[in-house]
Amino acid sequence: MSGYLIGSQKAGKVPLPPQAEFQWWYQYYFATERGREGYDKYRREFSKLIWQLASPKWNFDEATFVRSAAALDNPIM
């Protein structure tokens, strides 16, 4: 049996939420325009996921995250 996938190249350029993208982050995600757009679009979601993955035993609450996430709104130089 053989086959091939038919997909949309245009749709493939659209960033997905961080949970769907995390397997590619260090391989190519941040080195691409798609990664930049995804980070811009999902900055807080990405940051929350990193907090959860990097510190799985830290049970931070939403208020703590929201206070800290305000720093993510600073413009990039």
Side-chain angles (χ1 to χ4, degrees), residues 8-74:
S8 167
Q9 290 182 349
K10 184 177 179 181
K13 293 179 181 179
V14 176
L16 301 171
Q19 192 70 14
E21 297 280 12
F22 81 89
Q23 292 187 28
W24 299 297
W25 285 348
Y26 298 107
Q27 295 173 7
Y28 82 93
Y29 188 67
F30 287 120
T32 65
E33 184 63 18
R34 175 184 169 159
R36 188 196 62 75
E37 290 175 9
Y39 187 71
D40 285 346
K41 182 175 182 179
Y42 297 109
R43 183 169 294 152
R44 287 180 183 241
E45 293 90 340
F46 170 80
S47 299
K48 184 181 263 187
L49 182 60
I50 291 296
W51 276 30
Q52 292 165 339
L53 293 174
S55 300
K57 294 183 180 183
W58 180 30
N59 294 319
F60 60 89
D61 60 12
E62 188 64 21
T64 300
F65 178 75
V66 168
R67 281 193 311 276
S68 299
L72 302 171
D73 297 330
N74 291 329

